[in-house]
Amino acid sequence: AAFGRCDGMRGMEAARQLSRASPELPLVIYADGEEYGLESYQVRARYYLLYPIDDSALEEALERCGLMIDKDNKREDIK
């Protein structure tokens, strides 16, 4: 999964390029506001997080990407 903070159009342009190069790569966008929410769907982002990131929202984003963090903070793939 790729996580990216949208800092103006440069962040969304990077997400657009990642989406084109690897359409199967799950993208998660995080931003300070809602202004990039619609555009995040155009690049097929799996989740759009608002900063500051809430733990439960991050957990849901990871689950949507097929990833999970265990209690020891180790990454695990969800099968």
Side-chain angles (χ1 to χ4, degrees), residues 35-70:
E35 65 269 13
Y36 300 107
L38 180 61
E39 197 168 356
S40 71
Y41 288 103
Q42 293 171 343
V43 298
R44 295 184 224 101
R46 296 268 178 96
Y47 209 87
Y48 187 81
L49 296 168
L50 291 174
Y51 190 80
I53 298 172
D54 177 84
D55 287 344
S56 62
L58 178 58
E59 187 175 313
E60 185 174 340
L62 291 171
E63 287 176 4
R64 283 192 189 182
C65 293
L67 299 173
M68 185 175 78
I69 302 295
D70 70 13

Side-chain angles (χ1 to χ4, degrees), residues 6 13 17 36:
C6 286
E13 182 56 35
Q17 289 179 13
Y36 300 107

Side-chain angles (χ1 to χ4, degrees), residues 8-32:
M9 290 307 293
R10 287 179 278 164
M12 286 308 294
E13 182 56 35
R16 202 175 291 104
Q17 289 179 13
L18 280 169
S19 180
R20 284 186 202 130
S22 299
E24 72 286 346
L25 179 69
L27 297 174
V28 174
I29 306 288
Y30 63 100
D32 290 336

Side-chain angles (χ1 to χ4, degrees), residues 62-79:
L62 291 171
E63 287 176 4
R64 283 192 189 182
C65 293
L67 299 173
M68 185 175 78
I69 302 295
D70 70 13
K71 292 183 183 192
D72 296 325
N73 291 325
K74 296 177 184 174
R75 179 184 164 274
E76 295 181 9
D77 291 331
I78 297 174
K79 306 243 186 237

